[in-house]
């Protein structure tokens, strides 16, 4: 009809390489750099590979295959795929998107810090390698310039002064919000602009970023290899690399080891939040997702292992030069990227070169993960409201609105009290415990409500090959069992959040943190209960209706009919 807007096609990846590079850029992120190596060192060295590999086999690979198959099978985003497959579990999709929104709000702050350090790295002398800076003077006006740069204590003081006083502008607590740090705010704006134009045209621009701008996905690997070779040639590096892998069998009895391994898997594999479902939904229906799953999981875990060598070779050099145990220089999380590693770089020849390489790697690794997370949320919303959002120009407007909303929500994180808010999001809103519980819900829903056998039929219809029977056992038994045990351990081992081991949050801040955590996971039982209560008849009759709805929508014969007619699956109204 004249004057009526038409709904745009959803689109597909331009090539298989676009999908592979987009997923690789998402699953290989900052956690591979600053979380896996430290945890491997802290929890038993080479022995930590035992719980890690067990979680890879029972949770990582099975859920990775499940989520990619769900997206490719339904050609839907992170919410509507559940509506198509298992309406009773649609709350899992909503919960995953809530966590993604929280991640989008706080994750880009790390990229802003990295950009700030990168700009500093181009100076004639690294600011954290000297003491004649305004942030090296404390409130008592005593200048630390009398120190010796070769002392680890004073070198740490320099970098800590920069990080806390200039980058974070840290206040005395979360209740002291303070002023906005305008330098970091400008870095945040720059990162959001880059993110927006990476994905503003949807899968077309995301694919082009991953292929035409090939270096965005591959350059971090080049930098990682450069840092690895450089680190291994430094004095004292090999001894600490051996210590990094040295096995401590006694630590396997520590429940914290197993809990951290589970959390690492769900984080690094991007499980339970719908990202893999969204990315795979742009594949053609007959893409071999079964084979892709194994190669991408191998890439993720292999990158984590190689990164451990690169990181600890440099930290080993630093410990060797200072004559101290590596325990005094090893850090996890932002402390590795913005405190420990810059200290090591300052002690190398040509420190500016290695600082630039390192922070470019951090930015590109984080940027890949961030813009895919934003893409996952936007695509899921567009699939939820296609008549409204999938029209000409609507996507760009909605994406702009979403970016602005996240930007406004994160303004507290660039204030003097922002680091305390940042930690609340990191430890509660996007915690491993939340993701582990979602993994339990996801495997139970697909293994028992939708049916593992039916999912096997779907994958066979897609790939023309039947998966190994071990995946069925994982979806129905092993994955929910292992994830639930890890979740229970995380609850039992829970300790109230502190900052830098000395600042204890007020009670209302802990309440806010738990509210952020519950705001996602309670959506799952809440949605299921609402769905059952809204249905007419007894609980048994409602369950029968849901079962018949699933079976009628997704019989193998109807799938093959669509496939023969169109060459790819499209769920009609």
């Amino acid at each position: 009809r004249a004057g009526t807007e038409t709904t745009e096609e959803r689109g597909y990846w331009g090539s298989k390489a676009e999908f592979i590079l987009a997923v690789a850029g998402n699953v290989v992120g900052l956690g591979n750099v600053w979380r896996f190596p430290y945890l491997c060192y802290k929890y038993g060295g080479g022995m930590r590979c035992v719980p890690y590999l067990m979680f890879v086999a029972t949770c990582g690979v099975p859920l990775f295959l499940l989520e990619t198959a769900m997206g490719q099978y339904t050609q839907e985003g992170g919410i509507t795929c559940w509506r198509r497959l298992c309406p009773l579990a649609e709350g899992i999709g909503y919960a995953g998107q809530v966590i993604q929104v929280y991640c989008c709000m706080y994750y880009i702050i790390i990229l802003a810090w990295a950009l700030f350090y990168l700009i500093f790295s181009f100076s004639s002398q690294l600011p954290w390698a000297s003491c004649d800076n305004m942030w090296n003077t404390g409130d008592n006006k005593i200048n630390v310039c009398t120190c010796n740069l070769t002392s680890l204590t004073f070198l740490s003081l320099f970098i800590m002064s920069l990080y806390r006083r200039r980058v974070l502008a840290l206040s005395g607590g979360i209740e002291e919000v303070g002023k906005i740090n305008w330098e970091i705010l400008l870095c945040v704006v720059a990162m959001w602009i880059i993110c927006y134009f990476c994905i503003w045209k949807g899968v077309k621009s995301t694919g082009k970023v991953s292929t035409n701008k090939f270096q965005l996905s591959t350059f971090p690997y080049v930098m990682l290899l450069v840092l690895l070779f450089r680190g291994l040639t430094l004095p004292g590096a090999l001894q600490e690399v051996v210590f990094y892998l040295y096995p401590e069998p006694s630590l396997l009895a520590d429940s914290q080891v197993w809990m951290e391994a589970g959390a690492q898997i769900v984080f690094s594999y991007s499980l339970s939040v719908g990202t893999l479902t969204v990315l795979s939904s742009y594949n053609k229906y007959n893409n071999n997702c079964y084979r892709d799953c194994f190669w991408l999981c191998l890439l993720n875990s292999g990158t984590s292992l190689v990164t451990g060598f690169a990181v600890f070779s440099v930290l080993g050099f630093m410990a060797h030069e200072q004559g101290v145990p590596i325990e005094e220089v090893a850090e996890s999380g932002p402390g590795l990227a913005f405190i420990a590693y810059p200290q090591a770089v300052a002690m190398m020849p040509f420190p500016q070169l290695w600082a630039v390489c390192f922070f470019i790697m951090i930015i590109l690794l984080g940027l890949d993960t961030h813009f895919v997370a934003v893409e996952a949320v936007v695509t899921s919303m567009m699939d939820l409201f296609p008549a409204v959002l999938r029209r000409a120009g609507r996507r760009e407007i909605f994406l702009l609105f979403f970016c602005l909303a996240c930007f406004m929500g994160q303004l507290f994180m660039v204030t003097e009290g922002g680091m305390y808010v940042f930690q609340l999001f990191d430890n509660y809103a996007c915690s491993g415990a939340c993701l582990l519980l979602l993994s339990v819900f996801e495997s139970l829903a697909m293994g028992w409500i939708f049916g593992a056998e039916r999912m096997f039929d779907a994958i066979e219809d897609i790939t023309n090959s039947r998966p190994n029977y071990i995946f069925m056992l994982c979806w129905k038994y092993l994955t929910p069992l292992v994830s639930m045990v890890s979740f229970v351990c995380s609850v039992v081992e829970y300790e109230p959040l502190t900052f830098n081991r000395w600042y204890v949050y007020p009670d209302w801040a802990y309440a806010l943190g738990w509210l952020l955590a519950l705001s996602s996971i309670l959506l799952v039982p809440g949605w299921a209960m609402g769905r059952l209560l809204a249905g007419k008849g007894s609980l048994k009759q409602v369950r029968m209706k849901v079962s018949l709805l699933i079976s009628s929508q997704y019989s193998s014969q109807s799938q093959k009919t669509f496939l023969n007619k169109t060459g790819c699956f499209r769920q009609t109204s």
Side-chain angles (χ1 to χ4, degrees):
R1 188 184 305 173
T4 301
E5 292 182 279
T6 58
T7 302
E8 295 181 340
E9 286 294 323
R10 196 171 183 276
Y12 298 96
W13 295 111
S15 65
K16 178 66 170 286
E18 291 184 359
F19 168 70
I20 295 296
L21 290 172
V23 176
N26 175 60
V27 299
V28 178
L30 298 180
N32 300 78
V33 174
W34 67 35
R35 183 175 173 84
F36 178 87
Y38 177 80
L39 292 178
C40 193
Y41 150 75
K42 182 179 180 181
Y43 294 117
M47 291 304 295
R48 187 180 180 273
C49 292
V50 174
Y52 180 81
L53 292 177
M54 194 196 78
F55 273 98
V56 167
T58 59
C59 295
V61 178
L63 287 178
F64 197 102
L65 174 61
L66 178 63
E67 294 188 16
T68 52
M70 287 170 59
Q72 189 169 315
Y73 185 62
T74 61
Q75 305 277 287
E76 296 285 351
I79 297 175
T80 47
C81 73
W82 288 101
R83 179 176 297 178
R84 303 291 192 186
L85 294 173
C86 186
L88 197 63
E90 191 176 338
I92 298 174
Y94 286 104
Q97 297 313 302
V98 169
I99 293 177
Q100 284 285 48
V101 171
Y102 291 150
C103 288
C104 291
M105 290 177 62
Y106 94 93
Y107 196 83
I108 204 168
I109 298 294
I110 303 172
L111 303 183
W113 295 341
L115 178 60
F116 190 72
Y117 273 78
L118 177 63
I119 296 171
F120 269 156
S121 299
F122 287 100
S123 56
S124 58
Q125 184 182 27
L126 293 179
W128 58 85
S130 64
C131 54
D132 52 345
N133 304 293
M134 62 180 182
W135 55 84
N136 293 135
T137 303
D139 295 335
N140 55 3
K141 304 301 180 183
I142 299 177
N143 195 289
V144 299
C145 250
T146 58
C147 66
N148 184 357
L149 182 59
T150 61
S151 168
L152 178 63
T153 302
F154 290 115
L155 184 57
S156 300
L157 181 59
F158 294 158
I159 187 65
M160 289 295 290
S161 296
L162 172 65
Y163 184 58
R164 292 185 179 180
R165 297 180 182 175
R166 182 70 182 275
V167 178
L168 301 181
L170 202 60
S171 69
I174 192 172
E175 61 277 3
E176 299 177 21
V177 177
K179 300 178 294 184
I180 289 178
N181 187 333
W182 293 102
E183 294 173 316
I184 300 300
L185 181 64
L186 291 176
C187 292
V188 171
V189 171
M191 288 292 100
W192 272 117
I193 292 173
I194 294 172
C195 177
Y196 178 83
F197 286 106
C198 279
I199 62 173
W200 71 318
K201 291 297 182 182
V203 67
K204 296 179 182 178
S205 58
T206 304
K208 288 179 181 179
V209 167
S210 299
T211 51
N212 294 346
K213 296 181 179 178
F214 191 72
Q215 64 272 21
L216 187 61
S217 294
T218 58
F219 188 72
Y221 294 95
V222 175
M223 288 293 97
L224 183 60
L225 291 176
V226 170
L227 291 171
L228 172 62
F229 286 118
R230 174 55 182 160
L232 292 176
T233 60
L234 294 170
L238 292 180
Q239 296 93 310
E240 298 304 338
V241 166
V242 171
F243 186 68
Y244 156 61
L245 294 177
Y246 184 77
E248 286 286 349
S250 61
L251 289 177
L252 287 180
D254 187 356
S255 61
Q256 189 78 12
V257 177
W258 299 85
M259 183 193 71
E260 291 286 0
Q264 172 66 18
I265 289 299
V266 294
F267 269 120
S268 64
Y269 279 50
S270 293
L271 301 176
S272 305
V273 291
T275 304
L276 298 174
T277 303
V278 167
L279 294 177
S280 60
S281 70
Y282 288 114
N283 281 329
K284 297 295 177 63
Y285 181 73
N286 58 356
N287 174 64
N288 194 336
C289 60
Y290 188 56
R291 181 179 57 200
D292 296 343
C293 168
F294 286 100
W295 284 111
L296 288 167
C297 290
L298 180 62
L299 174 66
N300 188 332
S301 297
T303 302
S304 296
L305 184 62
V306 173
T307 302
F309 287 102
V311 169
F312 268 82
S313 62
V314 174
L315 297 183
F317 157 74
M318 186 167 130
H320 176 268
E321 289 293 298
Q322 301 297 333
V324 297
I326 196 169
E327 290 89 342
E328 295 189 20
V329 297
E331 292 274 355
S332 178
L336 174 66
F338 303 112
I339 298 175
Y341 212 97
Q343 289 179 46
V345 165
M347 300 165 62
M348 294 183 188
F350 310 109
Q352 291 86 351
L353 171 64
W354 303 113
V356 168
C357 290
F358 178 75
F359 288 113
I360 288 179
M361 181 187 73
I362 291 294
I363 290 173
L364 293 184
L365 281 174
L367 191 60
D368 268 349
T369 301
H370 182 73
F371 77 65
V372 170
V374 175
E375 173 65 36
V377 176
V378 173
T379 295
S380 297
M381 291 297 104
M382 292 182 67
D383 288 342
L384 192 61
F385 306 105
V388 177
L389 297 178
R390 205 178 292 159
R391 297 183 184 277
R394 299 284 181 87
R395 176 193 166 83
E396 292 86 343
I397 296 174
F398 177 72
L399 176 60
L400 179 62
F401 171 78
F402 177 76
C403 292
L404 288 174
C406 288
F407 174 76
M408 297 301 294
Q410 66 188 183
L411 285 179
F412 281 108
M413 299 185 198
V414 293
T415 62
E416 294 176 351
M419 186 59 180
Y420 305 103
V421 180
F422 176 92
Q423 278 206 323
L424 281 181
F425 274 76
D426 187 35
N427 286 270
Y428 290 95
C430 310
S431 68
C434 293
L435 297 178
L436 285 169
L437 192 56
L438 285 186
S439 299
V440 175
F441 291 141
E442 182 178 339
S443 52
L444 290 177
M446 296 304 296
W448 293 96
I449 302 177
F450 180 78
E453 295 83 358
R454 187 180 284 120
M455 198 67 222
F456 259 46
D457 293 337
I459 296 175
E460 184 179 16
D461 193 33
I462 291 171
T463 63
N464 294 320
S465 63
R466 199 162 182 82
N468 193 297
Y469 188 72
I470 190 66
F471 286 103
M472 188 179 296
L473 292 177
C474 287
W475 295 337
K476 297 182 72 172
Y477 305 106
L478 296 179
T479 301
L481 176 62
V482 172
S483 298
M484 178 56 75
V485 170
S486 298
F487 171 75
V488 171
C489 287
S490 67
V491 174
V492 171
E493 298 286 339
Y494 167 77
E495 294 181 359
L497 175 66
T498 60
F499 177 74
N500 201 32
R501 302 184 182 93
W502 60 268
Y503 174 75
V504 178
Y505 284 74
D507 291 340
W508 64 265
Y510 290 122
L512 176 60
W514 281 109
L515 182 63
L516 290 172
L518 294 175
S519 65
S520 59
I521 58 179
L522 287 183
L523 288 173
V524 182
W527 179 273
M529 186 64 67
R531 184 98 183 181
L532 291 174
L533 293 177
K536 296 181 179 180
S538 65
L539 178 61
K540 183 176 180 180
Q541 291 172 329
V542 172
R543 289 178 60 190
M544 183 62 69
K545 290 177 183 179
V546 172
S547 178
L548 291 173
L549 176 63
I550 294 172
S551 299
S552 64
Q553 284 186 333
Y554 285 94
S555 66
S556 297
Q557 186 60 42
S558 64
Q559 286 286 341
K560 291 180 180 179
T561 301
F562 275 110
L563 182 61
N564 292 334
K565 287 183 178 180
T566 64
C568 61
F569 172 72
R570 284 290 183 195
Q571 177 66 35
T572 62
S573 59

